[in-house]
């Protein structure tokens, strides 16, 4: 049986004025950000679910409920690193992560390397194994109209021999 496991993650947050726009732990200069109980880092949340999914360890809301005052304003990289710790404790190594952020504006490509480096440090893997992509929604639907942002992620884990 193959020791390789894949996990899928997805998240959405509403856009709100006066909130920070944090992606993969990196604050992107913007006049608006994302609503949420934690720091609303939609990318880190999708990656956290991808890691948990690959290890079949449930989902982000199960481990870090938004009804728990402990996670109010939480740094989502802390949640991500905790998910990685749980996956490693269950006997997995993290092989790679690929992801896409869907946000109409601002342009994110200049922040790609900073985001990859921050995520790689949190995941405990080389930056070459962490991919972050950006897409607009072509002005269509809630993302395209600037009302929300989405992120998708996939993670590969390998069971230690
Ligand atoms: O969505 P679209 O295909 O038009 O995006 C074109 C390119 O613009 C993407 O490949 C991505 O590198 C960049 N982009 C970005 N910031 C966004 C959306 C897209 O840098 N918010
Ligand atoms: Mg979220």
């Amino acid at each position: 049986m193959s020791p390789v496991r894949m996990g899928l993650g997805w998240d959405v947050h509403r856009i709100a004025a006066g909130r920070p726009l944090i992606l993969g732990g990196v604050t992107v200069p913007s006049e608006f950000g994302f609503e949420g109980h934690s720091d609303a880092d939609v990318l880190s949340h999708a990656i956290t679910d991808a890691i948990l999914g690959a290890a079949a360890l449930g989902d982000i809301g199960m481990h870090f409920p938004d009804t728990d005052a402990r996670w109010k304003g939480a740094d989502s990289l802390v949640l991500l690193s905790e998910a990685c710790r749980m996956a490693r404790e269950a006997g997995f190594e993290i092989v790679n992560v690929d992801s896409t952020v869907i946000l109409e504006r601002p342009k994110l490509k200049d922040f790609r390397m900073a985001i990859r480096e921050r995520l790689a440090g949190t995941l405990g893997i080389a930056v070459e194994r962490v991919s972050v992509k950006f897409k607009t929604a072509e002005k269509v639907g809630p993302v395209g109209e600037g009302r929300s942002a989405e992120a998708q992620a996939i993670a590969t884990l390998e069971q230690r021999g």
Side-chain angles (χ1 to χ4, degrees), residues 5-44:
R5 306 275 191 98
M6 297 176 83
L8 181 69
W10 175 86
D11 196 23
V12 60
H13 279 260
R14 284 170 187 266
I15 282 172
R19 288 271 303 174
L21 198 166
I22 301 173
L23 289 168
V26 173
T27 301
V28 175
S30 167
E31 70 273 25
F32 56 81
F34 306 137
E35 264 178 37
H37 180 75
S38 67
D39 64 3
D41 182 341
V42 67
L43 174 59
S44 295

Side-chain angles (χ1 to χ4, degrees), residues 124-140:
I125 60 177
V127 71
E128 293 74 22
R129 292 173 181 265
V130 181
S131 161
V132 179
K133 310 189 301 302
F134 308 114
K135 292 297 284 182
T136 69
E138 301 288 352
K139 300 189 169 68
V140 176

